[in-house]
Amino acid sequence: MSEQPDRSVLDAQRSHWDSTLDANTDMFGLEPSEAAQAATARFRAEGVGTVLELGAGQGRDTFPLSEAGFAVTAVDYSEIGLARIQGRARELDAAVATCSCDVREALPFPDASFDACYSHMLFCMALTTAELHHLGAEIRRVLTPGGLVFYTARTTDDAHSGAGTTRGDDMFEQGGFVVHFFSPTLVEELAEGFEILDRFEFEEGGLPRRLVAVTMRRRPDDD
Ligand SMILES: C[S@@+](CC[C@H](N)C(=O)[O-])C[C@H]1O[C@@H](n2cnc3c(N)ncnc32)[C@H](O)[C@@H]1O
């Protein structure tokens, strides 16, 4: 029988992220990720104005997106990460909104309030498959019909997939971090209500992490 996700283990990730981001200022660096650069090009081409960023961390992609001219709302459940973003926003005089929120719950925004959603390495956090489906439905709700999602997730081709402690639902814990490794099937399943426009694989960091970047559009006739 496969391992059932243990709620208390998954819940503990929040304080783990807080302490990790507290101990590592600019943990992922200050340069925009390859994902943010690709998303910026796509969002510009589609005339996007407002962007919801989920799992913003310390904002390495938040500020490049803001500098590119998008009105960014950065969401994370780490108060430490959000405090870093707010501090940088003051330093840079950047108009970035922040929101403390656990994406396993309803997103605290009205229907159809964003043109696009950007999310680098949040989907592959300690979220069960059921929670990912709920998140997909919530993103659909807060996006305008025809709105775009650009997300990335570590994949089952990643060197850490299948390694460490199994946590159920293709989640594995290594070095205190629980990661949900995405199969091509999961990418397809999460596209319910969306049309997949593009997907590409890329690597990041020293391991390297192996990721998939997926661009989807909320179906214009979806209401
Ligand atoms: C791998 S980091 C990526 C940070 C940022 N996107 C980057 O690439 O620099 C994942 C982020 O997601 C946040 N996170 C994880 N689970 C979350 C949840 N359930 N709700 C909100 N944020 C979450 C963590 O606090 C962390 O900042």
Side-chain angles (χ1 to χ4, degrees), residues 63-95:
F63 294 96
L65 288 167
S66 170
E67 280 156 23
F70 307 119
V72 183
T73 300
V75 166
D76 206 286
Y77 69 3
S78 168
E79 300 291 349
I80 303 287
L82 291 176
R84 174 76 182 129
I85 292 176
Q86 288 155 359
R88 282 186 69 199
R90 282 192 295 274
E91 280 163 33
L92 300 170
D93 199 18

Short mmCIF file of all heavy atoms in Angstrom, two decimals, residues 63-95:
data_model
loop_
_atom_site.label_atom_id
_atom_site.label_comp_id
_atom_site.label_asym_id
_atom_site.label_seq_id
_atom_site.Cartn_x
_atom_site.Cartn_y
_atom_site.Cartn_z
N PHE A 63 10.58 41.23 -8.07
CA PHE A 63 11.03 42.57 -8.48
C PHE A 63 11.29 42.65 -9.98
O PHE A 63 10.89 43.64 -10.61
CB PHE A 63 12.19 43.02 -7.59
CG PHE A 63 11.70 43.22 -6.18
CD1 PHE A 63 11.83 42.21 -5.23
CD2 PHE A 63 11.00 44.36 -5.84
CE1 PHE A 63 11.30 42.35 -3.96
CE2 PHE A 63 10.46 44.52 -4.56
CZ PHE A 63 10.62 43.52 -3.63
N PRO A 64 11.90 41.63 -10.60
CA PRO A 64 12.00 41.68 -12.06
C PRO A 64 10.63 41.75 -12.74
O PRO A 64 10.46 42.47 -13.73
CB PRO A 64 12.72 40.37 -12.40
CG PRO A 64 13.51 40.05 -11.17
CD PRO A 64 12.70 40.54 -10.03
N LEU A 65 9.64 41.04 -12.20
CA LEU A 65 8.30 41.11 -12.79
C LEU A 65 7.72 42.51 -12.61
O LEU A 65 7.11 43.07 -13.52
CB LEU A 65 7.37 40.07 -12.15
CG LEU A 65 7.65 38.60 -12.53
CD1 LEU A 65 6.88 37.65 -11.60
CD2 LEU A 65 7.24 38.31 -13.98
N SER A 66 7.95 43.08 -11.44
CA SER A 66 7.46 44.44 -11.18
C SER A 66 8.18 45.44 -12.09
O SER A 66 7.55 46.32 -12.70
CB SER A 66 7.68 44.76 -9.70
OG SER A 66 7.44 46.12 -9.46
N GLU A 67 9.51 45.28 -12.21
CA GLU A 67 10.28 46.19 -13.08
C GLU A 67 9.86 46.06 -14.54
O GLU A 67 9.97 47.01 -15.31
CB GLU A 67 11.79 45.91 -12.93
CG GLU A 67 12.37 46.56 -11.68
CD GLU A 67 13.65 45.88 -11.19
OE1 GLU A 67 14.32 45.21 -12.01
OE2 GLU A 67 13.93 45.98 -9.98
N ALA A 68 9.37 44.88 -14.90
CA ALA A 68 8.90 44.68 -16.29
C ALA A 68 7.56 45.38 -16.54
O ALA A 68 7.06 45.38 -17.66
CB ALA A 68 8.78 43.19 -16.59
N GLY A 69 6.98 45.94 -15.46
CA GLY A 69 5.77 46.75 -15.64
C GLY A 69 4.49 46.08 -15.17
O GLY A 69 3.41 46.67 -15.29
N PHE A 70 4.58 44.87 -14.63
CA PHE A 70 3.37 44.19 -14.15
C PHE A 70 3.06 44.64 -12.71
O PHE A 70 3.97 44.88 -11.93
CB PHE A 70 3.54 42.66 -14.17
CG PHE A 70 3.99 42.14 -15.51
CD1 PHE A 70 5.19 41.45 -15.64
CD2 PHE A 70 3.22 42.34 -16.65
CE1 PHE A 70 5.62 40.98 -16.87
CE2 PHE A 70 3.64 41.87 -17.88
CZ PHE A 70 4.84 41.19 -17.99
N ALA A 71 1.79 44.73 -12.39
CA ALA A 71 1.37 45.00 -11.01
C ALA A 71 1.33 43.66 -10.28
O ALA A 71 0.45 42.84 -10.53
CB ALA A 71 0.00 45.65 -11.01
N VAL A 72 2.32 43.44 -9.41
CA VAL A 72 2.51 42.11 -8.81
C VAL A 72 1.96 42.05 -7.39
O VAL A 72 2.22 42.93 -6.58
CB VAL A 72 4.02 41.73 -8.77
CG1 VAL A 72 4.21 40.32 -8.22
CG2 VAL A 72 4.65 41.86 -10.15
N THR A 73 1.22 40.98 -7.12
CA THR A 73 0.82 40.63 -5.75
C THR A 73 1.55 39.35 -5.39
O THR A 73 1.34 38.32 -6.02
CB THR A 73 -0.71 40.42 -5.64
OG1 THR A 73 -1.37 41.63 -6.02
CG2 THR A 73 -1.11 40.03 -4.23
N ALA A 74 2.44 39.45 -4.40
CA ALA A 74 3.30 38.32 -4.03
C ALA A 74 2.71 37.60 -2.82
O ALA A 74 2.50 38.20 -1.77
CB ALA A 74 4.70 38.81 -3.70
N VAL A 75 2.46 36.31 -3.00
CA VAL A 75 1.85 35.48 -1.94
C VAL A 75 2.88 34.47 -1.43
O VAL A 75 3.61 33.86 -2.21
CB VAL A 75 0.63 34.73 -2.51
CG1 VAL A 75 0.18 33.61 -1.57
CG2 VAL A 75 -0.52 35.68 -2.79
N ASP A 76 2.92 34.30 -0.13
CA ASP A 76 3.71 33.23 0.48
C ASP A 76 3.14 32.99 1.87
O ASP A 76 2.42 33.84 2.40
CB ASP A 76 5.20 33.62 0.58
CG ASP A 76 6.12 32.40 0.58
OD1 ASP A 76 6.17 31.70 1.62
OD2 ASP A 76 6.77 32.13 -0.45
N TYR A 77 3.45 31.81 2.46
CA TYR A 77 3.02 31.62 3.84
C TYR A 77 4.14 31.86 4.82
O TYR A 77 3.93 31.75 6.03
CB TYR A 77 2.31 30.29 4.07
CG TYR A 77 3.04 28.97 3.99
CD1 TYR A 77 4.40 28.86 3.77
CD2 TYR A 77 2.32 27.79 4.17
CE1 TYR A 77 5.03 27.62 3.72
CE2 TYR A 77 2.92 26.54 4.12
CZ TYR A 77 4.28 26.47 3.89
OH TYR A 77 4.90 25.24 3.84
N SER A 78 5.32 32.21 4.32
CA SER A 78 6.43 32.54 5.21
C SER A 78 6.43 34.04 5.47
O SER A 78 6.67 34.85 4.57
CB SER A 78 7.77 32.14 4.59
OG SER A 78 8.81 32.73 5.35
N GLU A 79 6.19 34.40 6.74
CA GLU A 79 6.22 35.84 7.11
C GLU A 79 7.64 36.38 6.93
O GLU A 79 7.82 37.56 6.62
CB GLU A 79 5.79 36.01 8.58
CG GLU A 79 4.39 35.52 8.89
CD GLU A 79 3.27 36.35 8.27
OE1 GLU A 79 3.57 37.44 7.76
OE2 GLU A 79 2.12 35.89 8.28
N ILE A 80 8.64 35.51 7.11
CA ILE A 80 10.04 35.95 6.97
C ILE A 80 10.31 36.32 5.51
O ILE A 80 10.92 37.35 5.22
CB ILE A 80 11.01 34.81 7.41
CG1 ILE A 80 10.72 34.39 8.85
CG2 ILE A 80 12.47 35.20 7.19
CD1 ILE A 80 11.14 35.36 9.92
N GLY A 81 9.85 35.47 4.60
CA GLY A 81 10.03 35.77 3.18
C GLY A 81 9.31 37.05 2.80
O GLY A 81 9.87 37.91 2.11
N LEU A 82 8.07 37.20 3.27
CA LEU A 82 7.29 38.40 2.92
C LEU A 82 7.92 39.66 3.51
O LEU A 82 7.92 40.72 2.87
CB LEU A 82 5.85 38.24 3.41
CG LEU A 82 5.02 37.18 2.67
CD1 LEU A 82 3.63 37.04 3.29
CD2 LEU A 82 4.89 37.50 1.18
N ALA A 83 8.51 39.55 4.71
CA ALA A 83 9.16 40.72 5.32
C ALA A 83 10.35 41.16 4.46
O ALA A 83 10.60 42.35 4.27
CB ALA A 83 9.61 40.40 6.74
N ARG A 84 11.07 40.19 3.91
CA ARG A 84 12.19 40.52 3.02
C ARG A 84 11.69 41.24 1.76
O ARG A 84 12.28 42.22 1.31
CB ARG A 84 12.94 39.22 2.65
CG ARG A 84 14.03 39.40 1.64
CD ARG A 84 15.29 40.03 2.23
NE ARG A 84 16.33 40.24 1.24
CZ ARG A 84 16.97 41.40 1.03
NH1 ARG A 84 16.68 42.46 1.76
NH2 ARG A 84 17.90 41.49 0.12
N ILE A 85 10.57 40.75 1.22
CA ILE A 85 10.00 41.39 0.03
C ILE A 85 9.55 42.81 0.35
O ILE A 85 9.84 43.76 -0.41
CB ILE A 85 8.83 40.55 -0.52
CG1 ILE A 85 9.36 39.22 -1.08
CG2 ILE A 85 8.06 41.32 -1.61
CD1 ILE A 85 8.28 38.26 -1.56
N GLN A 86 8.91 42.98 1.50
CA GLN A 86 8.44 44.33 1.86
C GLN A 86 9.62 45.28 2.08
O GLN A 86 9.58 46.44 1.66
CB GLN A 86 7.57 44.24 3.13
CG GLN A 86 6.22 43.60 2.85
CD GLN A 86 5.59 42.95 4.08
OE1 GLN A 86 6.17 42.94 5.17
NE2 GLN A 86 4.41 42.38 3.91
N GLY A 87 10.70 44.76 2.68
CA GLY A 87 11.90 45.59 2.89
C GLY A 87 12.51 46.01 1.56
O GLY A 87 12.86 47.18 1.36
N ARG A 88 12.61 45.07 0.65
CA ARG A 88 13.18 45.41 -0.67
C ARG A 88 12.28 46.35 -1.44
O ARG A 88 12.75 47.22 -2.16
CB ARG A 88 13.44 44.13 -1.49
CG ARG A 88 14.71 43.41 -1.05
CD ARG A 88 15.03 42.25 -1.96
NE ARG A 88 15.44 42.66 -3.29
CZ ARG A 88 15.43 41.88 -4.36
NH1 ARG A 88 14.97 40.64 -4.25
NH2 ARG A 88 15.85 42.31 -5.52
N ALA A 89 10.97 46.18 -1.28
CA ALA A 89 10.04 47.07 -1.97
C ALA A 89 10.25 48.51 -1.50
O ALA A 89 10.23 49.45 -2.30
CB ALA A 89 8.60 46.62 -1.73
N ARG A 90 10.51 48.67 -0.18
CA ARG A 90 10.77 50.03 0.34
C ARG A 90 12.09 50.56 -0.22
O ARG A 90 12.15 51.70 -0.70
CB ARG A 90 10.80 50.00 1.88
CG ARG A 90 9.41 49.96 2.51
CD ARG A 90 9.46 50.23 4.01
NE ARG A 90 10.17 49.17 4.72
CZ ARG A 90 9.61 48.04 5.15
NH1 ARG A 90 8.32 47.83 4.95
NH2 ARG A 90 10.32 47.13 5.79
N GLU A 91 13.13 49.72 -0.19
CA GLU A 91 14.45 50.15 -0.70
C GLU A 91 14.37 50.57 -2.16
O GLU A 91 14.98 51.55 -2.58
CB GLU A 91 15.44 48.97 -0.64
CG GLU A 91 16.07 48.70 0.72
CD GLU A 91 16.68 47.29 0.74
OE1 GLU A 91 17.18 46.81 -0.31
OE2 GLU A 91 16.65 46.69 1.81
N LEU A 92 13.64 49.78 -2.94
CA LEU A 92 13.58 50.02 -4.39
C LEU A 92 12.44 50.94 -4.79
O LEU A 92 12.30 51.27 -5.97
CB LEU A 92 13.42 48.67 -5.13
CG LEU A 92 14.53 47.64 -4.93
CD1 LEU A 92 14.11 46.30 -5.52
CD2 LEU A 92 15.82 48.11 -5.57
N ASP A 93 11.64 51.34 -3.80
CA ASP A 93 10.44 52.14 -4.07
C ASP A 93 9.57 51.46 -5.13
O ASP A 93 9.12 52.09 -6.09
CB ASP A 93 10.86 53.55 -4.53
CG ASP A 93 9.71 54.55 -4.36
OD1 ASP A 93 8.78 54.24 -3.60
OD2 ASP A 93 9.75 55.60 -5.03
N ALA A 94 9.39 50.15 -4.93
CA ALA A 94 8.61 49.35 -5.89
C ALA A 94 7.21 49.12 -5.34
O ALA A 94 7.04 48.84 -4.16
CB ALA A 94 9.30 48.00 -6.13
N ALA A 95 6.22 49.23 -6.22
CA ALA A 95 4.82 49.04 -5.81
C ALA A 95 4.45 47.57 -5.90
O ALA A 95 3.79 47.14 -6.85
CB ALA A 95 3.90 49.88 -6.68
#
